[in-house]
Amino acid sequence: MKMRQMSRLGIATVIGAALAMVGLLVTTAALSWHVDDVAATPTTRPTTRTTTTTTSAPPTTTTTTTTAVPTTTTTAKAPPAAAVTPAAANCAKPAFSTSEADDGWSDGDYYVQNNMWNASDYKVSQKLAACSAANWSVTTTADDDNGDGAVKTYPNVHKDYHDWDTGKEPPLSQYSRLTSTFAATSPHTGIYNVAYDIWLNGVPGNREVMIWTDNFHQSPAGDRVAGGLSFSGTTWDLYATDDNEYLAFVPSHTLTRGTLDLRAFLDYLVKNGHVQSNSTLGQICFGAEVVSTGGKPATFQFTDFSVTD
C-alpha cells in the first residue's frame, strides 16, 4: 500500500511538475506575445509622421496666402499713383496712364500716345492719362533754356490708315469725305501749338500736313505762301517749306473745339500742287507740339476727337 501510495505520490508529483512546466510555457508564450505587441507600436508612428506632414502643410498654404496679400495691397496703391497725372474732364479714373516715352493705348480705331520723339537730348518729363480716345490729358515739363526752339514732344491721339504689317496705305482719292471733331484746352504758358498732323505717303511720309487749332508763342516752319483761305468757317494762312514736305494751316484765331472738313484742306493742297494727286493716306493725329512749359508742369486736356471717313 505504501508503495502504491508512494507511487501515487510520485505520480502526483510528476503530474504537478508537468502542470508547472505547462504553466511556465504558457506564461513564457504570453510574455513573448506582449513583446511583439510593444514592438509593433512603432509601425503606428508613420501615422503620427503623416499627421506631422499634414501639420506642416498649412504653413505652406499660409505662406502663399501671406504672399498674396502684399500683392493685393500693392495693386490697391496703384490708383493714387495714377492720380498724380491730372485727368481730363470727367475722367476721374483713367483706363490708362503712363510716364514712359512713346508708350500708348488703343481705344477702338484710335491710339493715344505719349509721344516724346525729340526729348532724349533735353530735360523733359511727360505723364499721360486717358479714359478714352476722346477724353485724355497730358502734363508736360520742359524748357527752352538753350533757345533752339525745338519741339520736344507731341502727345496725341491718332487713327492709322497705314497697315503696319504690310506697309500698304489706301489712296487719298478713295475718301470723298474726311471730317473730324476736336476739343482741347491748353495751359497758355511756355511755347507750344495744338494741331492736327496728317501724314501722307508713309508714316513718316514725304508730306506732313498740319492744321493748327491753338498757338502760344510758336511759329510754323517754312514761309507763308497763302493767306485768307476759308475752310470750315475759319480763315487760315498756309505755311510751306521749299520742298512742300512740311505744310501748316494756321487759323486767324484760336479754336478750342469744332468740326473740320479735312478733305477740303487736302483738296486745296492737291489742286495747288503742294501734294501729289496720287498720294496715299497714312495717319491722322491730333495733339500738342510742346517746345517749352517754362520748366514747370503744364497740363493739356483733350475732350473730343473723332474721324469720319
Side-chain angles (χ1 to χ4, degrees):
M1 292 290 294
K2 285 184 179 179
M3 287 185 62
R4 288 178 183 173
Q5 289 177 350
M6 288 295 294
S7 296
R8 289 180 185 145
L9 179 61
I11 291 169
T13 301
V14 170
I15 292 171
L19 290 173
M21 287 296 294
V22 171
L24 179 62
L25 290 172
V26 170
T27 302
T28 303
L31 288 172
S32 297
W33 183 85
H34 279 293
V35 169
D36 286 343
D37 184 53
V38 171
T41 302
T43 64
T44 64
R45 288 180 185 175
T47 303
T48 304
R49 290 193 187 99
T50 302
T51 303
T52 303
T53 304
T54 304
T55 303
S56 65
T60 304
T61 305
T62 303
T63 302
T64 304
T65 304
T66 304
T67 303
V69 172
T71 303
T72 304
T73 303
T74 302
T75 303
K77 291 180 180 178
V84 172
T85 304
N90 304 317
C91 183
K93 297 180 180 180
F96 172 77
S97 62
T98 184
S99 58
E100 294 185 20
D102 302 320
D103 196 8
W105 174 65
S106 293
D107 181 26
D109 292 335
Y110 305 104
Y111 189 76
V112 184
Q113 185 181 21
N114 194 37
N115 189 326
M116 300 176 69
W117 68 277
N118 193 36
S120 60
D121 293 332
Y122 303 91
K123 188 177 180 180
V124 180
S125 65
Q126 186 163 273
K127 299 177 182 179
L128 182 149
C131 279
S132 71
N135 191 8
W136 60 281
S137 67
V138 64
T139 298
T140 307
T141 303
D143 61 53
D144 190 37
D145 289 351
N146 65 5
D148 64 1
V151 172
K152 280 85 173 174
T153 71
Y154 180 60
N156 71 87
V157 56
H158 61 257
K159 182 174 182 178
D160 283 312
Y161 292 84
H162 182 95
D163 187 323
W164 294 99
D165 292 327
T166 65
K168 294 182 179 180
E169 295 178 354
L172 182 59
S173 59
Q174 174 178 317
Y175 302 97
S176 59
R177 180 178 69 167
L178 279 174
T179 60
S180 178
T181 62
F182 72 93
T185 303
S186 63
H188 294 102
T189 185
I191 306 170
Y192 63 84
N193 62 277
V194 178
Y196 282 85
D197 198 6
I198 304 172
W199 288 103
L200 303 177
N201 308 313
V203 182
N206 65 14
R207 289 294 185 277
E208 180 182 12
V209 179
M210 301 203 76
I211 303 173
W212 292 21
T213 58
D214 191 0
N215 174 22
F216 195 77
H217 299 158
Q218 176 67 307
S219 299
D223 299 315
R224 181 176 176 274
V225 296
L229 305 175
S230 181
F231 302 108
S232 302
T234 300
T235 301
W236 308 76
D237 289 340
L238 174 63
Y239 289 77
T241 54
D242 291 340
D243 55 10
N244 283 315
E245 289 191 358
Y246 174 88
L247 299 152
F249 291 93
V250 180
S252 57
H253 61 276
T254 297
L255 302 173
T256 58
R257 64 177 58 248
T259 300
L260 296 181
D261 183 352
L262 304 182
R263 182 73 224 200
F265 288 89
L266 296 171
D267 282 346
Y268 172 87
L269 295 176
V270 171
K271 182 179 179 180
N272 288 274
H274 298 289
V275 168
Q276 307 97 312
S277 60
N278 62 346
S279 292
T280 57
L281 179 59
Q283 192 178 77
I284 297 176
C285 317
F286 182 65
E289 286 192 313
V290 182
V291 174
S292 170
T293 61
K296 298 179 180 179
T299 300
F300 299 79
Q301 294 189 336
F302 298 84
T303 52
D304 186 20
F305 180 72
S306 68
V307 176
T308 303
D309 51 30

Coordinates of all heavy atoms in Angstrom, one line a residue, residues 161-243:
Y161 N -4.2 104.7 -90.9 CA -4.6 104.1 -92.2 C -3.5 103.3 -92.8 O -3.7 102.4 -93.6 CB -5.0 105.2 -93.2 CG -6.2 106.0 -92.7 CD1 -6.2 107.0 -91.8 CD2 -7.5 105.6 -93.2 CE1 -7.3 107.7 -91.4 CE2 -8.6 106.3 -92.8 CZ -8.5 107.3 -91.9 OH -9.7 108.0 -91.4
H162 N -2.3 103.5 -92.4 CA -1.1 102.8 -92.7 C -1.2 101.4 -92.1 O -1.5 101.2 -90.9 CB 0.1 103.5 -92.2 CG 1.4 102.8 -92.5 ND1 2.2 103.2 -93.6 CD2 2.1 101.8 -91.9 CE1 3.3 102.4 -93.7 NE2 3.3 101.6 -92.7
D163 N -1.0 100.3 -93.0 CA -1.0 98.9 -92.5 C 0.4 98.6 -92.0 O 1.3 98.5 -92.8 CB -1.4 98.0 -93.6 CG -1.6 96.6 -93.1 OD1 -0.8 96.1 -92.2 OD2 -2.6 95.9 -93.6
W164 N 0.6 98.5 -90.7 CA 1.9 98.3 -90.2 C 2.5 96.9 -90.5 O 3.7 96.7 -90.3 CB 1.9 98.6 -88.7 CG 1.7 100.0 -88.4 CD1 0.5 100.6 -88.0 CD2 2.6 101.1 -88.5 NE1 0.6 101.9 -87.9 CE2 1.9 102.3 -88.2 CE3 3.9 101.2 -88.8 CZ2 2.5 103.5 -88.2 CZ3 4.5 102.4 -88.9 CH2 3.8 103.6 -88.5
D165 N 1.7 96.0 -90.9 CA 2.2 94.6 -91.2 C 2.7 94.6 -92.7 O 3.7 94.0 -93.0 CB 1.0 93.6 -91.1 CG 0.7 93.4 -89.6 OD1 1.6 93.5 -88.7 OD2 -0.5 93.2 -89.3
T166 N 1.9 95.2 -93.6 CA 2.3 95.2 -95.0 C 2.9 96.5 -95.5 O 3.6 96.4 -96.6 CB 1.0 94.9 -95.8 OG1 0.1 96.0 -95.7 CG2 0.3 93.7 -95.4
G167 N 2.8 97.6 -94.8 CA 3.3 98.8 -95.3 C 2.4 99.5 -96.3 O 2.7 100.6 -96.7
K168 N 1.3 98.9 -96.6 CA 0.4 99.5 -97.6 C -0.5 100.6 -97.0 O -0.9 100.6 -95.8 CB -0.5 98.4 -98.2 CG 0.3 97.4 -99.0 CD -0.6 96.3 -99.7 CE 0.1 95.3 -100.5 NZ -0.8 94.3 -101.1
E169 N -0.9 101.5 -97.8 CA -1.8 102.6 -97.5 C -2.9 102.8 -98.5 O -2.6 102.6 -99.7 CB -1.1 103.9 -97.3 CG -0.1 103.9 -96.1 CD 0.7 105.2 -96.0 OE1 0.6 106.1 -96.9 OE2 1.5 105.3 -95.0
P170 N -4.1 103.2 -98.2 CA -5.1 103.5 -99.2 C -4.9 104.8 -99.9 O -4.3 105.7 -99.3 CB -6.4 103.6 -98.3 CG -5.9 104.0 -97.0 CD -4.6 103.4 -96.8
P171 N -5.2 104.9 -101.1 CA -5.1 106.2 -101.9 C -6.0 107.2 -101.3 O -7.1 107.0 -100.8 CB -5.5 105.8 -103.3 CG -6.4 104.6 -103.2 CD -5.8 103.8 -102.0
L172 N -5.5 108.4 -101.2 CA -6.2 109.6 -100.6 C -7.5 109.8 -101.4 O -8.6 110.1 -100.9 CB -5.4 110.8 -100.7 CG -6.0 112.1 -100.1 CD1 -6.4 111.9 -98.7 CD2 -5.0 113.3 -100.3
S173 N -7.5 109.5 -102.7 CA -8.6 109.7 -103.6 C -9.8 108.7 -103.2 O -10.9 108.9 -103.7 CB -8.2 109.5 -105.1 OG -7.7 108.2 -105.2
Q174 N -9.5 107.7 -102.4 CA -10.5 106.8 -102.0 C -11.6 107.4 -101.1 O -12.7 106.9 -101.0 CB -9.9 105.6 -101.3 CG -10.8 104.5 -100.8 CD -10.1 103.4 -100.1 OE1 -9.1 102.9 -100.7 NE2 -10.5 103.0 -98.9
Y175 N -11.2 108.5 -100.5 CA -12.1 109.1 -99.5 C -12.7 110.4 -100.0 O -12.0 111.4 -100.1 CB -11.3 109.4 -98.2 CG -10.7 108.1 -97.6 CD1 -9.4 107.8 -97.9 CD2 -11.5 107.2 -96.8 CE1 -8.8 106.6 -97.4 CE2 -10.9 106.1 -96.3 CZ -9.6 105.8 -96.6 OH -9.0 104.6 -96.1
S176 N -14.0 110.3 -100.3 CA -14.7 111.5 -100.7 C -15.0 112.4 -99.6 O -15.3 113.6 -99.7 CB -16.0 111.2 -101.5 OG -16.8 110.4 -100.6
R177 N -15.0 111.9 -98.3 CA -15.2 112.6 -97.2 C -14.2 112.3 -96.1 O -14.0 111.1 -95.8 CB -16.6 112.4 -96.6 CG -17.0 113.2 -95.4 CD -18.4 112.9 -94.9 NE -18.6 111.6 -94.4 CZ -19.7 111.2 -93.7 NH1 -20.6 112.0 -93.5 NH2 -19.8 109.9 -93.3
L178 N -13.7 113.3 -95.4 CA -12.8 113.2 -94.3 C -13.1 114.3 -93.3 O -12.7 115.4 -93.6 CB -11.3 113.2 -94.6 CG -10.7 111.9 -95.2 CD1 -9.3 112.2 -95.6 CD2 -10.7 110.8 -94.1
T179 N -13.9 114.1 -92.3 CA -14.2 115.1 -91.3 C -13.8 114.7 -89.9 O -13.6 113.5 -89.7 CB -15.7 115.4 -91.3 OG1 -16.4 114.3 -90.9 CG2 -16.2 115.9 -92.6
S180 N -13.5 115.7 -89.1 CA -13.0 115.3 -87.8 C -13.6 116.3 -86.7 O -13.6 117.5 -87.0 CB -11.5 115.4 -87.7 OG -11.0 115.1 -86.4
T181 N -13.9 115.8 -85.6 CA -14.3 116.7 -84.4 C -13.1 116.7 -83.5 O -12.4 115.8 -83.3 CB -15.6 116.1 -83.7 OG1 -15.3 114.9 -83.2 CG2 -16.7 116.1 -84.6
F182 N -13.0 117.9 -82.7 CA -11.9 118.0 -81.8 C -12.4 119.0 -80.7 O -13.3 119.8 -80.8 CB -10.7 118.6 -82.5 CG -10.8 120.0 -82.8 CD1 -10.4 121.0 -82.0 CD2 -11.4 120.4 -84.0 CE1 -10.5 122.4 -82.3 CE2 -11.6 121.7 -84.4 CZ -11.1 122.7 -83.5
A183 N -11.7 118.9 -79.5 CA -11.8 119.8 -78.4 C -10.6 119.7 -77.6 O -10.1 118.6 -77.2 CB -13.1 119.5 -77.6
A184 N -10.0 120.9 -77.2 CA -8.7 120.9 -76.4 C -8.6 122.1 -75.6 O -9.0 123.2 -76.1 CB -7.5 120.7 -77.3
T185 N -8.1 122.0 -74.4 CA -7.8 123.2 -73.6 C -6.3 123.2 -73.3 O -5.8 122.2 -72.8 CB -8.6 123.1 -72.3 OG1 -10.0 123.0 -72.6 CG2 -8.4 124.3 -71.4
S186 N -5.6 124.3 -73.5 CA -4.2 124.4 -73.3 C -3.8 125.3 -72.1 O -4.7 126.1 -71.7 CB -3.5 124.8 -74.6 OG -3.9 126.2 -74.9
P187 N -2.6 125.2 -71.6 CA -2.3 125.9 -70.3 C -1.9 127.4 -70.5 O -1.8 128.1 -69.5 CB -1.1 125.1 -69.8 CG -0.4 124.6 -71.0 CD -1.6 124.2 -72.0
H188 N -1.6 127.8 -71.8 CA -1.2 129.2 -72.0 C 0.1 129.6 -71.2 O 0.1 130.6 -70.5 CB -2.3 130.2 -71.8 CG -3.4 130.0 -72.8 ND1 -4.6 129.4 -72.5 CD2 -3.5 130.4 -74.1 CE1 -5.4 129.3 -73.6 NE2 -4.7 129.9 -74.5
T189 N 1.1 128.7 -71.3 CA 2.4 129.0 -70.7 C 3.4 128.3 -71.5 O 3.2 127.3 -72.1 CB 2.4 128.5 -69.2 OG1 3.7 128.9 -68.6 CG2 2.3 127.0 -69.1
G190 N 4.6 129.0 -71.6 CA 5.7 128.4 -72.4 C 5.5 128.6 -73.9 O 5.1 129.7 -74.3
I191 N 5.8 127.6 -74.7 CA 5.8 127.7 -76.2 C 5.2 126.3 -76.7 O 5.8 125.3 -76.4 CB 7.2 127.9 -76.8 CG1 7.8 129.1 -76.2 CG2 7.1 128.0 -78.3 CD1 9.3 129.3 -76.6
Y192 N 4.1 126.4 -77.5 CA 3.5 125.2 -78.0 C 2.5 125.5 -79.1 O 2.1 126.7 -79.3 CB 2.9 124.4 -76.9 CG 1.7 125.1 -76.2 CD1 0.4 125.1 -76.8 CD2 1.9 125.9 -75.1 CE1 -0.6 125.8 -76.2 CE2 0.9 126.6 -74.5 CZ -0.4 126.6 -75.1 OH -1.4 127.3 -74.5
N193 N 2.0 124.5 -79.7 CA 0.8 124.6 -80.6 C 0.0 123.3 -80.5 O 0.6 122.2 -80.3 CB 1.2 124.9 -82.0 CG 2.0 123.8 -82.7 OD1 3.2 123.8 -82.5 ND2 1.3 122.9 -83.4
V194 N -1.3 123.5 -80.6 CA -2.2 122.3 -80.6 C -2.6 122.1 -82.1 O -3.0 123.1 -82.7 CB -3.4 122.5 -79.7 CG1 -4.4 121.3 -79.8 CG2 -3.0 122.8 -78.3
A195 N -2.5 120.9 -82.6 CA -2.6 120.8 -84.0 C -2.9 119.4 -84.5 O -2.6 118.4 -83.8 CB -1.4 121.2 -84.7
Y196 N -3.6 119.3 -85.7 CA -3.7 118.0 -86.4 C -2.3 117.8 -87.1 O -1.7 118.8 -87.5 CB -4.8 118.1 -87.5 CG -6.2 117.9 -87.0 CD1 -6.9 119.0 -86.4 CD2 -6.8 116.7 -87.0 CE1 -8.2 118.9 -86.0 CE2 -8.1 116.6 -86.5 CZ -8.8 117.6 -86.0 OH -10.1 117.5 -85.6
D197 N -2.0 116.5 -87.3 CA -0.8 116.2 -88.0 C -1.2 115.0 -88.9 O -1.5 113.9 -88.5 CB 0.3 115.8 -87.1 CG 1.7 115.8 -87.7 OD1 1.8 116.2 -88.9 OD2 2.7 115.3 -87.1
I198 N -1.2 115.3 -90.2 CA -1.7 114.3 -91.2 C -0.5 113.9 -92.0 O 0.2 114.7 -92.7 CB -2.8 114.9 -92.1 CG1 -4.0 115.4 -91.3 CG2 -3.3 113.8 -93.1 CD1 -5.0 116.1 -92.1
W199 N -0.2 112.5 -92.0 CA 0.9 112.0 -92.8 C 0.4 111.4 -94.1 O -0.5 110.6 -94.1 CB 1.6 110.9 -92.0 CG 2.4 111.5 -90.8 CD1 2.1 111.5 -89.5 CD2 3.7 112.2 -90.9 NE1 3.1 112.1 -88.8 CE2 4.1 112.5 -89.6 CE3 4.5 112.5 -92.0 CZ2 5.3 113.2 -89.3 CZ3 5.7 113.1 -91.7 CH2 6.1 113.5 -90.4
L200 N 1.1 111.8 -95.2 CA 0.7 111.2 -96.5 C 2.0 110.5 -97.0 O 3.1 110.9 -96.8 CB 0.3 112.3 -97.4 CG -0.8 113.2 -97.0 CD1 -1.1 114.3 -98.0 CD2 -2.1 112.4 -96.8
N201 N 1.7 109.4 -97.8 CA 2.8 108.7 -98.5 C 3.8 108.1 -97.5 O 5.0 108.1 -97.7 CB 3.5 109.6 -99.5 CG 2.5 110.2 -100.4 OD1 1.6 109.6 -101.0 ND2 2.7 111.5 -100.6
G202 N 3.3 107.5 -96.4 CA 4.1 106.9 -95.4 C 4.0 107.5 -94.1 O 3.4 108.6 -93.9
V203 N 4.4 106.8 -93.0 CA 4.4 107.4 -91.6 C 5.8 107.1 -91.0 O 6.1 106.0 -90.6 CB 3.3 106.7 -90.8 CG1 3.3 107.3 -89.4 CG2 2.0 106.8 -91.4
P204 N 6.7 108.1 -91.0 CA 6.5 109.4 -91.6 C 6.6 109.3 -93.1 O 7.3 108.4 -93.6 CB 7.7 110.2 -91.0 CG 8.7 109.2 -90.7 CD 8.0 108.0 -90.3
G205 N 6.0 110.2 -93.8 CA 6.0 110.2 -95.3 C 6.6 111.4 -95.9 O 7.3 112.2 -95.1
N206 N 6.5 111.6 -97.2 CA 7.1 112.7 -97.8 C 6.2 114.0 -97.8 O 6.6 115.0 -98.3 CB 7.5 112.4 -99.2 CG 6.3 112.1 -100.1 OD1 5.2 112.4 -99.8 ND2 6.6 111.6 -101.3
R207 N 5.1 113.9 -97.1 CA 4.2 115.0 -96.8 C 3.7 115.0 -95.4 O 3.0 114.0 -95.0 CB 3.0 115.1 -97.8 CG 3.4 115.4 -99.3 CD 4.0 116.8 -99.4 NE 4.2 117.2 -100.8 CZ 5.3 116.9 -101.5 NH1 6.3 116.2 -100.9 NH2 5.5 117.3 -102.7
E208 N 3.9 116.1 -94.7 CA 3.3 116.3 -93.4 C 2.5 117.5 -93.4 O 2.9 118.6 -93.6 CB 4.4 116.5 -92.3 CG 3.9 116.7 -90.9 CD 5.0 116.9 -89.9 OE1 6.2 117.2 -90.3 OE2 4.7 116.9 -88.7
V209 N 1.2 117.3 -93.2 CA 0.2 118.4 -93.3 C -0.3 118.6 -91.9 O -1.0 117.8 -91.3 CB -1.0 118.0 -94.3 CG1 -2.0 119.2 -94.3 CG2 -0.5 117.7 -95.7
M210 N -0.1 119.9 -91.4 CA -0.5 120.2 -90.1 C -1.7 121.2 -90.2 O -1.7 122.1 -91.1 CB 0.6 120.8 -89.2 CG 1.8 119.9 -89.1 SD 2.8 120.3 -87.6 CE 1.7 119.6 -86.3
I211 N -2.6 121.1 -89.3 CA -3.7 122.1 -89.2 C -3.8 122.5 -87.7 O -4.2 121.8 -86.8 CB -5.1 121.4 -89.6 CG1 -5.0 120.9 -91.0 CG2 -6.2 122.5 -89.5 CD1 -6.3 120.1 -91.4
W212 N -3.2 123.7 -87.5 CA -3.1 124.2 -86.1 C -4.5 124.7 -85.6 O -5.3 125.3 -86.4 CB -2.2 125.4 -86.0 CG -0.7 125.0 -86.2 CD1 -0.3 123.9 -86.9 CD2 0.4 125.7 -85.8 NE1 1.1 123.9 -86.9 CE2 1.6 125.0 -86.3 CE3 0.6 126.9 -85.2 CZ2 2.9 125.4 -86.0 CZ3 1.9 127.4 -84.9 CH2 3.0 126.6 -85.4
T213 N -4.8 124.5 -84.4 CA -6.1 125.0 -83.8 C -5.8 126.0 -82.6 O -6.6 126.8 -82.3 CB -6.9 123.8 -83.2 OG1 -6.2 123.1 -82.3 CG2 -7.4 122.9 -84.4
D214 N -4.6 125.9 -82.0 CA -4.2 126.8 -80.9 C -2.7 127.0 -81.0 O -1.9 126.1 -81.4 CB -4.5 126.1 -79.6 CG -4.4 127.1 -78.4 OD1 -4.1 128.2 -78.6 OD2 -4.7 126.6 -77.3
N215 N -2.3 128.2 -80.7 CA -0.9 128.6 -80.9 C -0.5 129.5 -79.7 O -1.1 130.6 -79.5 CB -0.6 129.2 -82.2 CG 0.8 129.8 -82.4 OD1 1.7 129.3 -81.7 ND2 0.9 130.7 -83.3
F216 N 0.6 129.2 -79.0 CA 1.1 130.0 -77.9 C 2.6 130.3 -78.1 O 3.4 129.4 -77.8 CB 0.8 129.4 -76.6 CG 0.9 130.4 -75.4 CD1 -0.1 131.3 -75.1 CD2 2.0 130.4 -74.6 CE1 0.1 132.2 -74.1 CE2 2.2 131.3 -73.5 CZ 1.2 132.2 -73.3
H217 N 2.9 131.4 -78.7 CA 4.3 131.9 -78.9 C 5.1 130.9 -79.9 O 6.3 130.9 -79.8 CB 5.1 132.0 -77.6 CG 4.5 133.0 -76.7 ND1 4.7 133.0 -75.3 CD2 3.6 134.0 -76.9 CE1 4.1 134.0 -74.7 NE2 3.4 134.6 -75.7
Q218 N 4.4 130.2 -80.7 CA 5.0 129.3 -81.6 C 4.9 129.8 -83.1 O 3.9 130.5 -83.4 CB 4.4 127.9 -81.5 CG 4.9 126.8 -82.4 CD 6.3 126.4 -82.2 OE1 7.2 127.3 -82.2 NE2 6.6 125.2 -82.1
S219 N 5.8 129.4 -83.9 CA 5.8 129.8 -85.3 C 6.0 128.5 -86.2 O 6.8 127.7 -85.8 CB 6.9 130.8 -85.7 OG 6.7 132.0 -84.9
P220 N 5.3 128.4 -87.3 CA 5.4 127.2 -88.1 C 6.7 127.3 -88.9 O 7.3 128.4 -89.1 CB 4.2 127.2 -89.0 CG 3.8 128.7 -89.1 CD 4.2 129.3 -87.7
A221 N 7.2 126.1 -89.4 CA 8.3 126.1 -90.3 C 8.0 126.6 -91.7 O 6.8 126.8 -92.0 CB 8.9 124.7 -90.4
G222 N 9.0 127.0 -92.5 CA 8.7 127.4 -93.8 C 8.3 128.9 -93.9 O 8.5 129.7 -93.0
D223 N 7.7 129.2 -95.0 CA 7.2 130.6 -95.3 C 5.7 130.6 -95.5 O 5.1 129.6 -95.9 CB 7.9 131.1 -96.6 CG 9.4 131.2 -96.4 OD1 9.9 131.6 -95.4 OD2 10.1 130.7 -97.4
R224 N 5.2 131.8 -95.3 CA 3.7 132.0 -95.6 C 3.6 132.1 -97.1 O 4.1 133.0 -97.7 CB 3.2 133.2 -94.9 CG 1.7 133.5 -95.1 CD 1.4 134.7 -94.2 NE 0.0 135.1 -94.4 CZ -0.5 135.9 -95.4 NH1 0.4 136.4 -96.3 NH2 -1.7 136.2 -95.5
V225 N 2.8 131.1 -97.7 CA 2.7 131.1 -99.1 C 1.3 131.4 -99.6 O 1.0 131.6 -100.8 CB 3.1 129.7 -99.7 CG1 4.5 129.4 -99.4 CG2 2.2 128.6 -99.0
A226 N 0.3 131.5 -98.6 CA -1.0 131.9 -99.0 C -1.7 132.4 -97.7 O -1.4 132.0 -96.6 CB -1.8 130.7 -99.6
G227 N -2.7 133.2 -97.9 CA -3.5 133.8 -96.7 C -4.9 134.0 -97.1 O -5.3 133.9 -98.3
G228 N -5.8 134.2 -96.1 CA -7.2 134.4 -96.3 C -7.9 133.2 -96.8 O -9.0 133.4 -97.5
L229 N -7.4 132.0 -96.6 CA -8.1 130.8 -97.1 C -9.2 130.4 -96.1 O -9.1 130.5 -94.9 CB -7.1 129.6 -97.1 CG -5.8 129.9 -98.0 CD1 -4.9 128.7 -97.8 CD2 -6.2 130.1 -99.4
S230 N -10.4 130.1 -96.7 CA -11.6 129.8 -95.9 C -11.9 128.3 -95.9 O -12.2 127.7 -96.9 CB -12.8 130.6 -96.4 OG -13.9 130.4 -95.6
F231 N -11.8 127.7 -94.7 CA -12.2 126.3 -94.5 C -13.0 126.1 -93.2 O -12.6 126.7 -92.2 CB -11.0 125.4 -94.5 CG -10.1 125.4 -95.7 CD1 -8.9 126.0 -95.7 CD2 -10.5 124.9 -96.9 CE1 -8.1 126.1 -96.8 CE2 -9.7 125.0 -98.1 CZ -8.5 125.6 -98.0
S232 N -14.1 125.4 -93.2 CA -14.8 125.1 -92.0 C -15.2 126.3 -91.2 O -15.2 126.3 -90.0 CB -14.1 124.1 -91.2 OG -13.8 122.9 -91.9
G233 N -15.5 127.4 -91.9 CA -16.0 128.6 -91.2 C -14.9 129.5 -90.6 O -15.2 130.4 -89.8
T234 N -13.6 129.2 -90.9 CA -12.5 129.9 -90.3 C -11.5 130.3 -91.4 O -11.4 129.7 -92.4 CB -11.8 129.1 -89.2 OG1 -12.7 128.7 -88.2 CG2 -10.6 129.8 -88.6
T235 N -10.8 131.5 -91.2 CA -9.8 131.9 -92.2 C -8.4 131.4 -91.7 O -8.1 131.5 -90.6 CB -9.8 133.5 -92.2 OG1 -11.1 133.9 -92.6 CG2 -8.8 134.0 -93.2
W236 N -7.7 131.0 -92.7 CA -6.4 130.3 -92.5 C -5.3 130.9 -93.3 O -5.5 131.3 -94.5 CB -6.4 128.8 -92.7 CG -7.6 128.1 -92.1 CD1 -8.9 128.2 -92.4 CD2 -7.5 127.3 -90.9 NE1 -9.7 127.4 -91.6 CE2 -8.8 126.8 -90.6 CE3 -6.5 126.9 -90.1 CZ2 -9.1 126.0 -89.6 CZ3 -6.8 126.0 -89.0 CH2 -8.1 125.6 -88.8
D237 N -4.0 130.9 -92.8 CA -2.8 131.1 -93.6 C -2.1 129.8 -93.8 O -2.2 128.9 -93.0 CB -1.9 132.0 -92.8 CG -2.4 133.5 -92.8 OD1 -3.3 133.8 -93.6 OD2 -1.9 134.2 -91.9
L238 N -1.5 129.6 -94.9 CA -0.7 128.4 -95.3 C 0.8 128.7 -95.3 O 1.2 129.6 -95.9 CB -1.2 127.9 -96.6 CG -0.4 126.7 -97.1 CD1 -0.5 125.4 -96.2 CD2 -0.8 126.3 -98.6
Y239 N 1.5 127.9 -94.5 CA 3.0 127.9 -94.5 C 3.5 126.6 -95.1 O 2.9 125.6 -95.0 CB 3.5 128.0 -93.1 CG 3.2 129.4 -92.4 CD1 1.9 129.7 -91.9 CD2 4.2 130.3 -92.3 CE1 1.7 130.9 -91.4 CE2 4.0 131.6 -91.7 CZ 2.7 131.9 -91.3 OH 2.5 133.1 -90.7
A240 N 4.6 126.8 -95.9 CA 5.2 125.6 -96.5 C 6.7 125.7 -96.6 O 7.3 126.9 -96.7 CB 4.6 125.5 -97.9
T241 N 7.4 124.6 -96.5 CA 8.8 124.6 -96.8 C 9.0 124.6 -98.3 O 8.1 124.3 -99.1 CB 9.5 123.4 -96.2 OG1 8.8 122.2 -96.6 CG2 9.4 123.4 -94.6
D242 N 10.3 124.8 -98.8 CA 10.5 124.9 -100.2 C 10.2 123.6 -100.9 O 9.7 123.6 -102.1 CB 12.0 125.2 -100.5 CG 12.3 126.6 -100.1 OD1 11.4 127.5 -100.0 OD2 13.5 126.9 -99.8
D243 N 10.4 122.4 -100.3 CA 10.1 121.1 -100.9 C 8.7 120.7 -100.7 O 8.3 119.6 -101.1 CB 11.1 120.1 -100.4 CG 11.1 120.0 -98.9 OD1 10.2 120.6 -98.2 OD2 12.0 119.3 -98.4

